[in-house]
Amino acid sequence: MGSTAYRGRGRPRGFVEEEALDRAIRVFWEHGYEGASLSDLTAAMGINKPSLYIVFGSKEELFKRAVARYRDTYVAYAAGTLEEPTAYAVVESYLRAAVDALTGSGHPPGCLSIQGGLSCAPANSGISEFLAGYRAVFEGELAQRLARAEKEGDLEAGTDTAALARFVMSLSQGLAVHAAAGARREDLQAAVDVALRAIAAYLPAGNPVAPATETTGA
Amino acid sequence: MGSTAYRGRGRPRGFVEEEALDRAIRVFWEHGYEGASLSDLTAAMGINKPSLYIVFGSKEELFKRAVARYRDTYVAYAAGTLEEPTAYAVVESYLRAAVDALTGSGHPPGCLSIQGGLSCAPANSGISEFLAGYRAVFEGELAQRLARAEKEGDLEAGTDTAALARFVMSLSQGLAVHAAAGARREDLQAAVDVALRAIAAYLPAGNPVAPATETTGA
DNA sequence: GCATTTTTGTACCGGATGGTAAATTGGCTG
DNA sequence: CAGCCAATTTACCATCCGGTACAAAAATGC
């Protein structure tokens, strides 16, 4: 709790845990859980296998730690978008930010929660399930936020907000698939333009929230 | 060419090539290229490794043959949807049929072209690229079809038809991610309902194509 | 019947995998 | 200084990986 971390009696660690984890994130992100071998991981992390096992326990636990840190860093933007004042603003800012994140420079394209392991060998089926659960969390938060918007009169009464959230998350996951395959940022933003027209169709009549011009790219 | 196939001189084959390929499709579909071991494959196909290598050449060639047959069987519905008379009907029938295919019984949920290997070990990066190219083919065909629709006055003049196609394909790929994680058919159809509202926004004024009621599920 | 041809079953190959045992290193404590 | 202890290095483990060599089996052609 603070900067005066207790430095135990033994030999001090030759690496910073968070830094090593960041390196591991990249490897998992690029190659997936099964495509990332321990040799790849330790080489990128700058440590060797016994150190990895002492600190992280196993490859699976390392992966889960990596996903958790990925959420708290690379996907930290998502929570903020839920605080936009209107449903339309929430969806717009989430999808815009997602495309920017999916195609950002300085890290692999796409999304760790999908590339990590959409389907795995029978022995690793737990990884796919773990990631599916992880993805479901934000979809649930978005659905709740949209349900609140409907109560606040910010969406047409009777709107299926769960379906709306599922639509938004499906689109962003499909955009992640495109990004992983090398799609350009502005092309994905143009697809978001289309999606926003759908959201606009759910606004109550006379609602002034819909945008005058489409902003493509960033 | 016909039913009188030439039966060579040697020992006759103990299996039908297409049947074995169908079994392989399931294994790749469920576990991905890297998650499907040769042992898994040969066990499911009912043959042993030398037979597999004589007939299919290698694991990679087997996979590509599997994807080709998958396209010609499980995804055969897609080509037909392009022949619907209007842009709206094309998109609606494609998305409806895609959800039904993604959640169909009697085969793994989701889509082989995504689960097969969104990201791979460095040695298998060719697989991800192969699948990305495969996915791009139908997106291109859909974009062409929508461009024709715009020329025919079936979509607003000036519509970004490439973006529209990218939107539709991104959504369907995201629905595939959801399906692979176990999403229910009717929940995915409800997300399609939302998407169709976006398409409706691109119809010329006074176009009577938009549906009166949303048909959820099938 | 016998040689030929192709597929089959079995057993094996080198290499990589995730994971560890054992011993060395290096810094703290007394 | 000696004693301790954790993190390091190195070497190794059993197992599985994709892929093959080899010989037995089963059909045809002569």
Side-chain angles (χ1 to χ4, degrees), chain B residues 3-216:
Chain B
S3 55
T4 57
Y6 172 66
R7 321 202 69 233
R9 278 229 287 210
R11 176 172 175 172
R13 229 168 243 177
F15 63 96
V16 179
E17 198 167 313
E18 279 76 19
E19 279 180 15
L21 207 45
D22 283 334
R23 310 279 190 94
I25 289 175
R26 305 298 187 88
V27 179
F28 282 130
W29 196 341
E30 220 166 340
H31 304 301
Y33 178 78
E34 294 184 328
S37 71
L38 282 187
S39 308
D40 296 336
L41 289 164
T42 53
M45 297 166 83
I47 67 180
N48 38 32
K49 289 194 267 186
S51 298
L52 191 156
Y53 275 80
I54 284 178
V55 176
F56 298 104
S58 70
K59 187 186 179 186
E60 182 166 346
E61 291 180 61
L62 170 64
F63 181 72
K64 292 182 177 177
R65 287 277 311 272
V67 172
R69 183 164 169 81
Y70 170 80
R71 162 172 37 79
D72 296 340
T73 56
Y74 293 101
V75 197
Y77 69 87
T81 64
L82 295 178
E83 294 170 8
E84 294 285 336
T86 67
Y88 186 91
V90 165
V91 172
E92 176 178 35
S93 90
Y94 170 68
L95 287 176
R96 295 289 181 210
V99 167
D100 284 347
L102 291 170
T103 58
S105 60
H107 58 77
C111 174
L112 171 61
S113 81
I114 298 174
Q115 271 131 291
L118 193 54
S119 53
C120 289
N124 296 322
S125 62
I127 296 292
S128 324
E129 294 165 14
F130 169 78
L131 287 177
Y134 165 80
R135 292 191 303 263
V137 170
F138 185 75
E139 179 166 322
E141 292 171 2
L142 178 60
Q144 279 199 337
R145 176 65 185 84
L146 295 180
R148 196 189 96 196
E150 190 242 354
K151 262 188 206 142
E152 294 173 352
D154 187 34
L155 284 174
E156 260 180 17
T159 296
D160 184 347
T161 50
L164 212 52
R166 205 175 304 115
F167 164 79
V168 170
M169 294 311 297
S170 293
L171 179 67
S172 91
Q173 288 162 12
L175 294 172
V177 173
H178 271 69
R184 294 183 316 162
R185 172 174 291 186
E186 57 263 35
D187 288 340
L188 299 187
Q189 293 290 13
V192 169
D193 292 346
V194 177
L196 292 176
R197 288 231 192 175
I199 308 302
Y202 286 88
L203 302 181
N207 193 308
V209 178
T213 64
E214 293 170 352
T215 54
T216 306

Side-chain angles (χ1 to χ4, degrees), chain A residues 190-210:
Chain A
V192 169
D193 291 346
V194 177
L196 292 177
R197 289 231 192 174
I199 307 302
Y202 286 88
L203 302 181
N207 193 308
V209 179

